[in-house]
Amino acid sequence: MLCNVTIYGSKDAAPVFSQGELNFDNSGFELKYKIGEDRCTLCANGSTITQSRRGGANMDITFSKGKNTVCVLLSGELTGSVPVKTDELKIFKSHSGVEIYIEYYLGGAKINLRLAATVSPKEIK
């Protein structure tokens, strides 16, 4: 389903807007969108979210509340990882879209991320 994506990061940053494609399945959903020229995919499976970004920035990051995971950074043949600790992970799904709230630490820096994907009205049946 076509959707409008809004991403809120730090308090001082302006929201990021994008068009996207949202598809639901039995265990969660998959959202594809762009940030600038980078292609992004966010997959929710149960209570775990995986986000991938490809383009100028290449990374894969997994969020799971209360667990230690990693952010894998990819640059050509070089790879590296940064520890991730997810303190809060909330997923809200409805027929009109999804909202996600994640509070996490990336290598010691606290980050709050809110993402909303609202299905285009013509897609709601």
Side-chain angles (χ1 to χ4, degrees):
M1 295 181 280
L2 297 176
C3 64
N4 296 311
V5 179
T6 306
I7 303 164
Y8 304 93
S10 67
K11 294 178 183 176
D12 299 332
V16 174
F17 301 100
S18 178
Q19 298 295 305
E21 178 76 24
L22 177 64
N23 294 298
F24 293 97
D25 61 28
N26 291 335
S27 60
F29 61 88
E30 177 183 73
L31 173 64
K32 294 184 178 191
Y33 60 98
K34 284 189 170 187
I35 296 177
E37 294 301 313
D38 290 0
R39 298 174 320 280
C40 301
T41 303
L42 188 141
C43 296
N45 186 353
S47 61
T48 299
I49 291 179
T50 303
Q51 184 178 32
S52 297
R53 184 170 175 169
R54 297 293 182 271
N58 297 311
M59 68 180 84
D60 295 323
I61 186 168
T62 300
F63 303 101
S64 188
K65 184 178 178 178
K67 296 189 179 176
N68 294 312
T69 58
V70 295
C71 173
V72 178
L73 306 169
L74 311 157
S75 178
E77 293 182 17
L78 301 174
T79 62
S81 63
V82 179
V84 175
K85 171 79 165 80
T86 306
D87 281 349
E88 197 66 50
L89 175 62
K90 296 179 182 177
I91 302 169
F92 305 97
K93 295 188 301 184
S94 71
H95 70 281
S96 62
V98 297
E99 287 188 45
I100 297 163
Y101 173 78
I102 307 171
E103 183 177 288
Y104 65 101
Y105 289 87
L106 178 65
K110 185 175 182 178
I111 300 171
N112 291 301
L113 172 69
R114 285 190 313 138
L115 181 144
T118 306
V119 176
S120 299
K122 64 183 178 183
E123 296 279 339
I124 299 175
K125 297 176 182 166

